[in-house]
Amino acid sequence: MRIGIFSDVHGNLEALLVVLAGLEAEKVERRACLGDLVGYGPDPGACMDLIRQRADVVLAGNHDHAVLGLTDISLFNPYARTAVLWTRSQLTPAETSYLAGLPVSCSWEGLCLAHSSPCEPAMWHYVFSLEEAETNFHCFREPICFVGHSHSPAFFVQEEPGRVVCRQATRLDIEKGKRYLINVGSVGQPRDGDPRAGYLIYDTDAARIELKRVAYDVAATQAKMARAGLPRFLIERLAVGH
Ligand code: ZN
């Protein structure tokens, strides 16, 4: 089976459409969205509706919770806070209640899924270092856990208990006896220096994971953000992927 996994769409409809087209072309049978459907971009409702229709499982992220008033936005930077408040004003009651029903982590198709990390998933911890990854391997039982949240793709491999390494690659062969903690990157606001929309394909028969990047019309999203009055910093960062 081919599974498509994507995260951190952040209301960027142009990026989401190219990712969904990519998943179609890749003939995936199941799709998972790991949260942050909304929260920076100009099309929160349209993105949410599409994700709801096309994904088999959908998680909520910290920006979704911020829009719902479940996370303290005084800890957000001022740009993110402005975008959260704007997004909150755009959603219909039905969209708000859909967001409120989403879990922050789950077990699905024998995989662990979480927006931020498998340890305390509603505390929104980041997994950047080997030490953080090592801690998180204790918080799930499945062989593979997929996360989003940092907007930077990453492969952490537990070669054996107590030995975790980070692999720099776009492809990873899944080996029996090893465990994996994988960040799928971001659809709508990548921060690894590559502005293209990111997603991931897991082919369970081939036991292979592949990170994908696809270009989208960044200028169209930026123009919509400018019309909506969203912060210039958020508009400009889309072009550089930071
Ligand atoms: Zn995010």
Side-chain angles (χ1 to χ4, degrees):
M1 179 166 63
R2 288 167 71 73
I3 300 173
I5 308 180
F6 59 96
S7 189
D8 296 271
V9 174
H10 284 293
N12 186 334
L13 183 60
E14 286 71 28
L16 176 61
L17 286 169
V18 296
V19 165
L20 292 174
L23 293 173
E24 200 71 40
E26 296 273 352
K27 298 191 180 350
V28 305
E29 292 152 74
R30 307 278 278 155
R31 295 166 181 80
C33 173
L34 305 187
D36 276 2
L37 286 65
V38 302
Y40 287 122
D43 287 305
C47 288
M48 203 185 301
D49 294 346
L50 256 183
I51 292 164
R52 187 179 192 170
Q53 290 164 28
R54 306 285 282 276
D56 299 289
V57 63
V58 183
L59 302 182
N62 54 319
H63 286 254
D64 304 318
H65 272 210
V67 166
L68 294 168
L70 299 174
T71 289
D72 181 5
I73 58 170
S74 67
L75 301 173
F76 278 44
N77 71 53
Y79 311 109
R81 204 181 313 144
T82 300
V84 161
L85 295 174
W86 178 84
T87 301
R88 192 179 286 169
S89 75
Q90 300 295 306
L91 296 183
T92 66
E95 287 165 346
T96 303
S97 75
Y98 169 68
L99 268 194
L102 301 176
V104 296
S105 66
C106 70
S107 187
W108 175 77
E109 298 285 358
L111 306 167
C112 165
L113 306 179
H115 176 71
S116 60
S117 72
C119 294
E120 303 180 301
M123 297 300 287
W124 316 119
H125 302 303
Y126 288 94
V127 183
F128 285 122
S129 69
L130 289 176
E131 290 74 18
E132 288 159 348
E134 161 68 20
T135 301
N136 274 281
F137 274 108
H138 297 286
C139 295
F140 64 98
R141 290 163 168 243
E142 297 85 346
I144 310 176
C145 183
F146 292 100
V147 299
H149 194 41
S150 73
H151 299 204
S152 293
F155 292 143
F156 292 102
V157 184
Q158 188 185 50
E159 307 246 336
E160 56 190 66
R163 198 160 86 86
V164 175
V165 297
C166 182
R167 289 271 162 74
Q168 301 293 336
T170 54
R171 271 184 183 201
L172 187 68
D173 289 318
I174 299 300
E175 297 172 64
K176 276 211 165 61
K178 297 185 180 178
R179 297 173 74 230
Y180 301 86
L181 177 57
I182 293 169
N183 192 306
V184 306
S186 169
V187 172
Q189 203 198 80
R191 289 189 196 146
D192 59 346
D194 180 346
R196 294 175 300 166
Y199 64 101
L200 172 153
I201 306 277
Y202 174 31
D203 187 322
T204 60
D205 300 323
R208 176 170 291 172
I209 286 171
E210 201 171 344
L211 291 170
K212 299 280 182 180
R213 296 307 276 264
V214 54
Y216 71 95
D217 190 348
V218 173
T221 307
Q222 290 176 311
K224 286 188 198 173
M225 290 173 79
R227 278 201 295 276
L230 286 160
R232 175 150 300 279
F233 171 76
L234 297 179
I235 297 172
E236 288 172 353
R237 75 188 306 186
L238 283 186
V240 287
H242 263 302

